[in-house]
Amino acid sequence: MSAVYLYCVVHAPKAPSLSRAPAGVPGAGPLGCATVGVSLWAVWSEVPIDRYGSDALERTLADLDRVAPIALAHDAVVEHLFRQRGATVVPMKLFTMFSSLERAVEETAARRRDIRAAAKRIAGCEEWGVRVTRQAATATRTRAVEAASGAEFLAARRDQRAAARAEVEAAAAAAAAAFRALSAVARDVRRRDEAPPGATAPPLLDAVFLVAR
C-alpha cells in the first residue's frame, strides 16, 4: 500500500526536469511530474503507508529526530526545482499526501487559481528566514562581593539588576531595528511571536522575508 506525497507545484512553460534531482523523502519511490493546469506541474512520489500512514505519522511527528531528515529531503527537492530557469516553485507543506495520484491531481487542480496567485506573488523572489536570539545576560560584577556593609551590597545588586534590564532592552531594540531594515527591502514579511518547539521563550525576532532574487 502506498500514498502520493506532494512536494510542490511548479509554474513553468514546460515540465520541470527531474534529472539529477534529489531522491525525495526517505523510503519514497522515484519523483514524478503531473500537470494540474496550464503551465502548472505537481512534483510527487509514492511513499509506503506503513511509514507515512496516519499511525506511523503520529509517531514521527512526536520525534523531531525523525521529522528532521524528512523535512530536509522535502526541502532538497524544492530547492532543486527552484534553481531551474524560468520556474516559480510553490512549496507544499510537509506531509501533504493523497490516497492516489488521481486524487492529488484533482485536488491540486481545484486550487489552481490560488496556486497561480501565489506563484505570481513570489515570482523572482527568495524566502529568507531570520531568527535573532539573545544569550543569557552576563551578570555585571558586583562591586561588593565581599561588601563592607549591607547598604553597599544592596546597591551593587540594584546596579546589577538595572544593567540586566538595560541589556534586555538594548537587545530588543536591536532586533526591532533589524526587522524594520529587512522589511524595507522585502516584498512580503511573516513574523512569528510564539516560542519555537523546545524553546522556553520566543526569540527576539523570528521572521520570514520574501526578497527579490
Side-chain angles (χ1 to χ4, degrees):
M1 294 283 292
S2 63
V4 168
Y5 186 102
L6 192 61
Y7 298 89
C8 59
V9 175
V10 180
H11 184 272
K14 60 181 182 179
S17 172
L18 300 179
S19 174
R20 299 183 180 180
V25 296
L31 294 179
C33 184
T35 180
V36 291
V38 177
S39 300
L40 291 177
W41 314 87
V43 177
W44 60 278
S45 62
E46 285 191 353
V47 292
I49 287 293
D50 60 358
R51 190 165 182 173
Y52 290 89
S54 57
D55 292 340
L57 193 57
E58 187 174 343
R59 292 191 297 272
T60 297
L61 291 172
D63 185 350
L64 289 179
D65 289 336
R66 297 174 68 177
V67 172
I70 299 172
L72 289 172
H74 179 113
D75 189 62
V77 173
V78 172
E79 181 67 23
H80 172 81
L81 297 164
F82 175 79
R83 291 195 297 267
Q84 296 190 18
R85 186 182 298 274
T88 299
V89 181
V90 181
M92 297 293 107
K93 289 183 178 179
L94 197 63
F95 301 117
T96 297
M97 291 181 288
F98 301 89
S99 58
S100 67
L101 180 58
E102 291 75 18
R103 187 60 180 250
V105 169
E106 179 184 349
E107 293 199 20
T108 307
R111 298 173 53 207
R112 57 182 177 268
R113 176 179 291 183
D114 293 337
I115 293 171
R116 289 186 194 281
K120 182 178 180 180
R121 183 173 62 86
I122 67 176
C125 290
E126 295 182 357
E127 183 179 275
W128 286 83
V130 177
R131 180 175 290 174
V132 179
T133 58
R134 186 177 63 86
Q135 293 181 341
T138 54
T140 305
R141 289 187 176 274
T142 328
R143 293 195 309 262
V145 174
E146 297 179 0
S149 69
E152 222 175 80
F153 175 78
L154 291 174
R157 290 294 300 273
R158 183 193 61 223
D159 291 347
Q160 184 179 353
R161 287 193 295 269
R165 281 196 301 272
E167 198 173 289
V168 170
E169 291 169 359
F179 181 74
R180 290 193 299 271
L182 293 168
S183 297
V185 296
R187 182 181 295 183
D188 199 2
V189 178
R190 293 289 185 272
R191 183 168 186 170
R192 184 170 67 178
D193 294 320
E194 68 272 16
T200 56
L204 295 171
L205 174 61
D206 192 2
V208 176
F209 300 87
L210 188 68
V211 297
R213 189 178 302 179

